[in-house]
Amino acid sequence: MRLLYDLGIWLYGVLLHLISPFNPKAKLWVQGRKDILNRIGQTVEQGQKYIWFHFASLGEFEQGRSVLEQIKKRFPQEKIIVTFFSPSGYEIRKNTTLADYVFYLPEDTASNAKAFLDIIQPRFVVFTKYEYWYHYFKELKQRNTRLLMISAIFREEQIFFKPYGGFFRSILQNVSYFFAQNTDSVHMLKWINITKAGFAGDTRFDRVVELPNQHKTIEQVEKFCAVHKTVVAGSTWKPDEELLRQLAADNPQWKFIIAPHEIHASHIEEITKLFGEVLLFSKFETYTDKQILQSKILVIDNIGMLSSLYHYAEITYIGGGFGVGIHNTLEAATYGKPVIFGPKYEKFQEAVDLVTLMAGFSISNYTELKQVFDSLKDQNFLHEARNSAKNYVQQRAGATQIIMKYLETEKLLG
């Protein structure tokens, strides 16, 4: 199985090299790892021990961000290195002030793991939610370097819990401690004889619970919404946008803000053709007051505003549910906004919880979307959904403090 794992890592890299001339993300992935170990060695301060945080992508960074912030606030002398697997994380957060250095993670090979750890000499390591790399984890174990997994979550159908999953279970054995999102994950780890795990909760709640107090006023959005009720649709994909077009057509008295997951020119053009007349945020200053007043659709063609946009919503829609899975629902829920999303949400505990609490609503087609939307027009029903969403986020904050207490008790900080 080890040979198959190594072959899979190699083939994945070869595939990305082959498609990189035609795929922007693959191109960034390849270019970012070109001569990466030499660049890291020439960049970082030698003889320094670092705290190493790794994130798969942008979502995991935001999930673990509260722990980073607490360390920087309470222990400013600590040196931190952040790595990303995905370009969508690295390219957006490569200049974050929460880390001293930010890099792409070199591919998971035995030689890369040894060389990378020789350079950074980590005091301890934090991975968020998932990503289990055999060679990195094994090398950390051999060096007796503490490896922590925060906001970890497991499901029975994962390979770790299959009869043929022994190799992958061996990767988990290298983790020093799992801070799990739920008690089910703790129990599942115990089923495979991993006892160094405990329930802490999801660190995303600690991040998002502060958003309503920190949201940025966006004058253009305020001018666009004016006195109209508004739907904010975040991280949308084409199937989401097709449903939203019908919803907007059936509700001309509402305004819609569309913040697509992909903002490249071709997708923005697709959205413009789909909805007809739209305003683009990047061109907002060129529109007349009459255009802004009469327009029903504002397309956000940049990144970084979404967590503040939800403040302006009456109802929110979260994209991705017709693809691999929905995007972040908590950034909307923390403002006390009901969230609507597609059918693929079962892997996301917070979405399951919000549906149970009648603060989140899953739909599979336009008929269901219309039914949910019409129900939320009832002010009493809307009020209950808003309260349920806000209370859900507030009651689940606190995971970061549990993790910080562990780090201090184990003398990993200070």
Side-chain angles (χ1 to χ4, degrees), residues 391-404:
N391 291 338
Y392 173 72
V393 175
Q394 292 178 338
Q395 291 168 5
R396 282 160 178 77
T400 299
Q401 293 309 312
I402 293 173
I403 295 166
M404 291 298 296

Side-chain angles (χ1 to χ4, degrees), residues 49 52 109-125 135-147 174 176:
K49 283 187 172 290
W52 172 27
T109 66
S111 60
N112 282 352
K114 184 178 186 306
F116 179 71
L117 295 176
D118 282 344
I119 295 170
I120 71 169
Q121 295 290 314
R123 289 178 53 191
F124 66 91
V125 180
H135 294 291
Y136 281 106
F137 283 27
K138 181 182 178 182
E139 188 68 26
L140 287 167
K141 182 76 169 182
Q142 291 176 344
R143 295 171 185 238
N144 294 316
T145 301
R146 202 79 65 92
L147 169 60
N174 295 313
S176 304

Side-chain angles (χ1 to χ4, degrees), residues 224 255 279 286-296:
F224 170 76
K255 291 206 171 190
L279 303 183
T286 68
Y287 301 124
T288 65
D289 289 344
K290 183 178 180 180
Q291 285 177 300
I292 295 170
L293 177 65
Q294 294 180 345
S295 180
K296 301 300 180 184

Side-chain angles (χ1 to χ4, degrees), residues 1 15 20 46 76 84 86 88 108-109 113 151-152 159 189 194 220 247 283 285 333 358 364 377 391:
M1 183 60 77
L15 175 63
S20 61
Q46 299 300 311
F84 287 98
S86 168
S88 60
D108 185 36
T109 66
S151 296
I159 195 170
L189 288 171
I194 294 177
Q220 299 93 324
L247 189 66
K283 298 180 179 180
E285 305 305 326
M358 296 293 286
S364 298
K377 290 179 182 178
N391 291 338

